[in-house]
Amino acid sequence: MVSKEWGQWPGEYFVNSTNTGIIDLMKMRIDKIDEWGCDWVEFDNMDWVYDQELRNTYGFEVTEQEGVAYYQELCQYVQSKGMKCMAKNLVENTSEFDGVLYESYDDEQNWWNQAGAQRFLDQEKLVIINHYNESDCEEIYEKYKDIYNEDISFICEDASLKKYVHFNQ
């Protein structure tokens, strides 16, 4: 991993190289997830290999090709255990993934590759939009249904109720 801690989440670091045993370590974590009886594994922060600003800031050496091979190999391992793979916030090079989750905010809605999300829906794969800190969840859900139809799953953090509300489960 890189030596500089990721500023957004204390205690988290970016992978610097994928040939240092990290894949075996991640497979052990996946084994533990399987033992717990989980159905899905979400692949968070998948965009790290595509982001030149992160690359410059944290100085990681892994190439885009190595990063893609890393998450594809881990997804294949997840599926070999009978679980499903959930991409997060992007669908580039994820044709073998079973679904995608996008994070949405009041000032940042539908910011992702809409064609990619629609492609997952057309392939009858799960698409979840998790929207944060909203005062009118119903309104935002209607906006997303207008774009994607009722096939999306929508989870909204309701600011007034102070809890998550699940739509179209």
Side-chain angles (χ1 to χ4, degrees), residues 9-47:
W9 290 97
E12 286 197 29
Y13 297 83
F14 289 101
V15 171
N16 192 33
S17 175
T18 59
N19 59 6
T20 58
I22 188 83
I23 291 175
D24 290 335
L25 176 66
M26 293 305 292
K27 286 181 177 179
M28 288 188 319
R29 293 181 80 182
I30 291 165
D31 290 342
K32 187 58 119 174
I33 292 168
D34 182 41
E35 288 173 21
W36 292 335
C38 296
D39 297 320
W40 289 79
V41 175
E42 179 189 88
F43 285 63
D44 199 2
N45 302 323
M46 292 175 57
D47 58 347

Side-chain angles (χ1 to χ4, degrees), residues 5-166:
E5 187 177 66
W6 187 27
Q8 292 186 12
W9 290 97
E12 286 197 29
Y13 297 83
F14 289 101
V15 171
N16 192 33
S17 175
T18 59
N19 59 6
T20 58
I22 188 83
I23 291 175
D24 290 335
L25 176 66
M26 293 305 292
K27 286 181 177 179
M28 288 188 319
R29 293 181 80 182
I30 291 165
D31 290 342
K32 187 58 119 174
I33 292 168
D34 182 41
E35 288 173 21
W36 292 335
C38 296
D39 297 320
W40 289 79
V41 175
E42 179 189 88
F43 285 63
D44 199 2
N45 302 323
M46 292 175 57
D47 58 347
W48 62 286
V49 296
Y50 301 105
D51 192 317
Q52 191 59 46
E53 184 178 331
L54 289 175
R55 185 177 297 284
N56 293 340
T57 301
Y58 295 93
F60 49 84
E61 299 167 2
V62 68
T63 67
E64 186 176 309
Q65 292 165 321
E66 291 168 332
V68 170
Y70 169 76
Y71 66 70
Q72 287 176 341
E73 181 176 345
L74 291 178
C75 179
Q76 290 170 0
Y77 189 72
V78 164
Q79 291 167 334
S80 77
K81 296 291 196 173
M83 296 179 286
K84 295 183 179 183
C85 298
M86 177 69 69
K88 187 160 182 191
N89 291 331
L90 65 86
V91 294
E92 286 77 7
N93 299 300
T94 59
S95 61
E96 69 282 350
F97 278 67
D98 304 291
V100 61
L101 179 137
Y102 294 105
E103 294 175 299
S104 171
Y105 307 89
D106 186 51
D107 61 346
E108 211 174 3
Q109 297 173 18
N110 207 47
W111 56 268
W112 48 83
N113 176 334
Q114 185 173 327
Q118 189 60 55
R119 185 175 66 249
F120 264 50
L121 287 170
D122 292 345
Q123 295 171 351
E124 298 183 359
K125 294 182 178 185
L126 181 61
V127 175
I128 301 172
I129 298 172
N130 195 5
H131 187 79
Y132 297 105
N133 196 26
E134 181 57 51
S135 60
D136 191 345
C137 289
E138 291 280 347
E139 178 185 347
I140 302 302
Y141 180 48
E142 290 302 320
K143 286 181 182 179
Y144 279 124
K145 283 195 316 186
D146 287 345
I147 297 168
Y148 296 107
N149 70 43
E150 293 191 15
D151 291 336
I152 64 156
S153 286
F154 185 71
I155 302 169
C156 186
E157 180 187 25
D158 189 303
S160 57
L161 295 176
K162 296 185 180 356
K163 69 177 190 174
Y164 285 92
V165 179
H166 296 247

